[in-house]
Amino acid sequence: MCQATFDFRLYDFQTKKVMKLTLKIWRQKNAQDKGGIVEYPIDGIEPDMSFLEMLDVLNEDLINKGEEPVAFDHDCREGICGMCSLFINGEAHGPDRGVTTCQLHMRMFKDGDTIFIEPFRAKAFPVIKDLVVDRSSFDRIQHAGGFISVNTSGNTIDANTIPVNKHDADKSFDAAACIGCGACVATCKNSSAMLFVSAKVSQYALLPQGKVEATDRVLNMVHQMDLEGFGNCTNTGACEIECPKGISLENIARMNREYLAASLKG
Ligand code: SF4
Ligand code: FES
């Protein structure tokens, strides 16, 4: 049976022009490999494609040519999971604001552009392969205190039985929007994780349910952050600008207050 193949990439749906680009991508075989930038020309990119879809097109081409596809992290592709983690033209998650790499569209670029694509770089985020970095340091910080203990056997207390004022609930909700992507670390000249850790501390510190373990939480999470090799915060504010979830610097101020109070108790 004859099957016609149709290349959607080269089809102009709404008189939208496809783009030709030059990609300069960090390739690194493994953690030990020195790595380097490799140039790839790419054609037929639609403005409405997401950045990751553009990389899918490149990888299809590489596979068809018998070459190794570019390794990059992704999962939900809708700004929820925090897996995508590219440094694009020198910016974490690329040139748009308030979006993750998977939500970045190719209309942010123009025909003929050269795009540099690198992994999130930090001592505490070692490169595993190509654009994939190991962010398990964030998991270990979470394990050190980013939780509350609730007895779920027998009659669990309905959350609504504990009153929380609207202002605190909203602030806690804003802090809980952090998806743990690591853009704040990759952006910071000191590779500081303060915005991430402060969001995780704040989301509990603002709620009555988080008060029980508050002292241990902030001490343990900050201790783990230091053990992982993240740098210090010097208040440049770059993290807040590049954060796709709009996590505010006020969380860092809150965490510092929590840390001081916890240290004095100890
Ligand atoms: S604070 Fe923002 S940039 Fe940092 S991990 Fe959370 S969502 Fe990502
Ligand atoms: S792939 Fe889940 S946030 Fe980008």
Side-chain angles (χ1 to χ4, degrees):
M1 192 173 81
C2 173
Q3 255 190 338
T5 54
F6 181 74
D7 190 345
F8 283 93
R9 288 180 289 146
L10 300 175
Y11 186 74
D12 190 351
F13 280 99
Q14 295 167 355
T15 64
K16 283 174 191 153
K17 284 198 175 147
V18 291
M19 291 184 279
K20 240 186 212 184
L21 303 163
T22 303
L23 305 178
K24 296 201 177 217
I25 303 181
W26 183 262
R27 302 298 313 258
Q28 185 173 335
K29 284 189 178 69
N30 51 49
Q32 288 72 42
D33 183 29
K34 192 163 168 253
I37 293 282
V38 179
E39 184 173 310
Y40 299 97
I42 190 166
D43 200 351
I45 300 302
E46 291 175 28
D48 291 342
M49 278 180 176
S50 76
F51 200 84
L52 297 188
E53 284 168 340
M54 182 275 293
L55 287 180
D56 291 339
V57 170
L58 171 72
N59 276 347
E60 268 177 42
D61 288 348
L62 291 177
I63 291 166
N64 288 339
K65 285 193 269 183
E67 293 179 32
E68 178 85 5
V70 178
F72 62 92
D73 260 334
H74 59 103
D75 190 7
C76 72
R77 296 200 175 205
E78 50 186 331
I80 296 169
C81 71
M83 280 302 286
C84 57
S85 54
L86 303 181
F87 217 64
I88 302 161
N89 283 349
E91 286 188 87
H93 295 303
D96 210 351
R97 286 289 165 268
V99 299
T100 51
T101 298
C102 59
Q103 295 172 304
L104 178 68
H105 284 94
M106 294 312 295
R107 53 181 169 268
M108 294 300 293
F109 303 91
K110 52 183 195 313
D111 188 32
D113 272 359
T114 296
I115 306 175
F116 283 82
I117 309 169
E118 295 172 81
F120 278 3
R121 293 192 191 280
K123 186 178 154 205
F125 290 168
V127 174
I128 296 171
K129 184 177 182 180
D130 295 336
L131 304 171
V132 177
V133 298
D134 179 357
R135 285 170 285 176
S136 58
S137 48
F138 270 14
D139 297 337
R140 290 186 289 274
I141 293 170
Q142 273 290 89
H143 295 167
F147 54 82
I148 57 166
S149 300
V150 176
N151 186 1
T152 53
S153 64
N155 296 328
T156 38
I157 305 168
D158 191 282
N160 290 336
T161 57
I162 304 172
V164 181
N165 79 53
K166 172 95 169 72
H167 177 264
D168 288 348
D170 286 350
K171 292 279 178 197
S172 173
F173 200 79
D174 288 347
C178 168
I179 54 173
C181 64
C184 45
V185 174
T187 299
C188 176
K189 65 176 183 163
N190 310 314
S191 299
S192 168
M194 287 286 272
L195 196 65
F196 163 74
V197 181
S198 69
K200 299 303 173 192
V201 166
S202 288
Q203 82 178 78
Y204 298 116
L206 286 156
L207 299 178
Q209 291 92 335
K211 299 286 185 215
V212 183
E213 290 135 326
T215 303
D216 286 346
R217 176 179 305 112
V218 69
L219 293 176
N220 291 342
M221 291 182 83
V222 169
H223 178 64
Q224 190 64 38
M225 174 179 78
D226 291 340
L227 282 182
E228 297 291 348
F230 292 103
N232 292 324
C233 173
T234 51
N235 299 311
T236 66
C239 53
E240 184 185 59
I241 293 167
E242 296 289 353
C243 172
K245 296 297 165 184
I247 301 298
S248 164
L249 289 176
E250 74 180 48
N251 290 296
I252 296 182
R254 183 179 298 107
M255 183 172 81
N256 285 338
R257 289 195 299 274
E258 289 278 318
Y259 187 81
L260 182 63
S263 303
L264 292 175
K265 271 189 207 168

